[in-house]
Amino acid sequence: MNAFHLKIVTPDGLVYDGDALSLTVRTTAGDVGILAGHLDLVSALGMGRATVVTESGTRYAACIGGMLSVKKDLVTLVATTFEWADQIDAQRAQASLDRAQKVLHNKDATQAELRLAEARLKRALVRQSVAGGGK
């Protein structure tokens, strides 16, 4: 299998810069798999698990928001949040999930509070799934 150059960046800095054999990531239109020689593409990122396959093996991450760009053999993933599975704090994700559920069950919550709680719930579920090895 041929490799391509993959660069993953977040607001906190460079996360990965090297060769990859494949990348699977959730876009706003659904999951996309990238291999060497993929057609040029620009897409908004959704919220889900990213899978990066390299010569060294397969790594999973929680990828939340941003954009994906494929141009020739350079793939750039600019994510709002990108956390490798082994870096996710499962207790923190559970606490975030609990707080979001508390707001969602509050009859007095405003629409804005409910929308924010739904987004937090989705992020927490993605993090838990990735941290728990949900493949």
Side-chain angles (χ1 to χ4, degrees):
M1 186 180 283
N2 292 331
F4 57 89
H5 192 83
L6 173 63
K7 190 177 281 194
I8 302 172
V9 294
T10 70
D12 294 329
L14 186 65
V15 174
Y16 181 83
D17 189 3
D19 287 341
L21 300 174
S22 73
L23 168 69
T24 304
V25 68
R26 171 87 29 102
T27 70
T28 55
D31 289 351
V32 172
I34 306 294
L35 299 172
H38 195 285
L39 292 174
D40 291 355
L41 168 76
V42 174
S43 181
L45 293 173
M47 195 179 303
R49 183 183 70 230
T51 305
V52 179
V53 179
T54 67
E55 294 280 346
S56 303
T58 302
R59 291 185 77 187
Y60 301 96
C63 181
I64 300 169
M67 66 155 276
L68 172 69
S69 168
V70 179
K71 184 148 176 120
K72 296 192 180 186
D73 275 338
L74 173 62
V75 177
T76 306
L77 191 150
V78 180
T80 304
T81 301
F82 192 93
E83 297 172 281
W84 294 113
D86 58 1
Q87 296 173 340
I88 294 173
D89 183 339
Q91 289 179 335
R92 185 173 152 238
Q94 182 61 49
S96 181
L97 180 106
D98 293 342
R99 285 190 306 272
Q101 287 178 328
K102 188 175 182 179
V103 172
L104 290 171
H105 290 102
N106 180 355
K107 290 184 269 182
D108 297 325
T110 66
Q111 287 299 313
E113 290 170 330
L114 291 172
R115 281 192 301 274
L116 186 58
E118 286 174 359
R120 287 182 175 150
L121 178 73
K122 289 176 185 176
R123 286 192 301 268
L125 289 172
V126 167
R127 285 184 174 111
Q128 281 187 327
S129 172
V130 171
K135 296 181 182 179

